[in-house]
Amino acid sequence: MAAFHYYGHSCFLIEDGKYKVLADPFLTGNPAASISADEVECDYILVSHGHADHLGDAPKIAKRTGAIVIGIPEVLSVCEEREPGIRTHAMNIGGSITLPFGKVRMTEAIHSCGVPGGLSCGYVINIGNKNVYFAGDTSLFYDMKLIGKKDTLDYAVLPIGDNFTMGLEDAALAAQWLNASNVIPIHYDTWPVIKQDVKKYKEITEEMTRAEVHILKPGSVLELA
Ligand code: NI
Ligand code: MN
């Protein structure tokens, strides 16, 4: 049994009752944030890339909580510069790691990284017997079909805001190619430049795919069934 807590923009936390996995903790300065960097609790922090709206408060939260930051080496170097002594675990695209709650696999993403020499990535998170694909920031790419073939995806967490990432149509196609059972749209409405009609996204995606789309307000919790 796992629960998904949405904290706004691309930040969420999945917990299985014992372990808490936080993703892209941009909370300070995030107009959509539903929790502060000083109160969030976690054991692991997954970072998709070095842009400020993803890396965000990761170093600071790792320092306070002792959580392990997982990411691409170049992005982790930035975290370690900001908060020397924090715990990190470097991965790279295509690699998997077994953790106490399950498995994490790093997947590709098509997006700039924000850190010289780094790459943007996504993750397939196996927790509470569910496979949750977090796309990070990305365009649509055809290898999403492979991601959905390698692991049967119970949930896909996809950016839909357009401008910097996929927009509505591409994110609907992504849900189809991933063959996910459920989709959680993120990375929209935080600022005017990524304002989106999320209800329209739900409509077109549910028409094109077998997925159920869950529209979550920041601060809400979804039990992963
Ligand atoms: Ni980005
Ligand atoms: Mn972003």
Side-chain angles (χ1 to χ4, degrees):
M1 186 79 155
F4 181 100
H5 300 248
Y6 185 44
Y7 292 149
H9 196 55
S10 280
C11 182
F12 63 86
L13 180 141
I14 305 178
E15 43 119 350
D16 65 356
K18 194 167 180 199
Y19 293 98
K20 292 184 165 79
V21 182
L22 181 66
D24 281 0
F26 163 54
L27 298 169
T28 305
N30 175 355
S34 64
I35 194 167
S36 83
D38 297 327
E39 57 185 341
V40 67
E41 292 298 335
C42 57
D43 304 291
Y44 298 92
I45 304 171
L46 304 178
V47 179
S48 67
H49 64 296
H51 288 150
D53 62 319
H54 297 264
L55 176 62
D57 299 295
K60 188 173 146 185
I61 296 168
K63 185 169 187 192
R64 178 177 57 80
T65 62
I68 298 173
V69 187
I70 295 173
I72 285 271
E74 290 80 359
V75 170
L76 294 183
S77 295
V78 172
C79 294
E80 286 156 353
E81 264 165 42
R82 283 192 203 162
E83 294 290 356
I86 59 170
R87 298 158 78 199
T88 59
H89 181 92
M91 296 182 69
N92 222 312
I93 314 284
S96 296
I97 173 181
T98 300
L99 293 166
F101 59 83
K103 252 178 134 177
V104 170
R105 193 160 80 86
M106 187 178 267
T107 58
E108 77 175 297
I110 310 289
H111 187 79
S112 67
C113 178
V115 175
L119 288 170
S120 257
C121 70
Y123 295 94
V124 177
I125 308 155
N126 171 257
I127 182 167
N129 281 323
K130 299 289 171 202
N131 288 324
V132 181
Y133 169 57
F134 168 41
D137 274 1
T138 188
S139 69
L140 178 68
F141 58 94
Y142 201 66
D143 279 2
M144 283 180 176
K145 288 198 172 186
L146 292 180
I147 294 173
K149 270 204 174 126
K150 164 109 180 144
D151 298 294
T152 303
L153 302 175
D154 299 293
Y155 287 81
V157 183
L158 304 176
I160 67 157
D162 218 337
N163 194 82
F164 301 114
T165 68
M166 300 186 280
L168 300 191
E169 280 88 18
D170 283 1
L173 204 49
Q176 189 186 77
W177 289 357
L178 291 160
N179 194 27
S181 306
N182 297 273
V183 173
I184 300 172
I186 58 165
H187 207 276
Y188 66 95
D189 285 3
T190 318
W191 301 284
V193 70
I194 54 170
K195 185 130 189 68
Q196 276 301 348
D197 184 347
V198 70
K199 286 188 181 146
K200 188 179 167 201
Y201 176 69
K202 179 175 166 75
E203 207 179 284
I204 60 172
T205 304
E206 290 184 345
E207 206 175 277
M208 280 170 61
T209 72
R210 66 185 188 93
E212 183 181 347
V213 176
H214 304 266
I215 299 173
L216 301 184
K217 285 209 169 73
S220 59
V221 184
L222 178 71
E223 294 287 340
L224 301 186

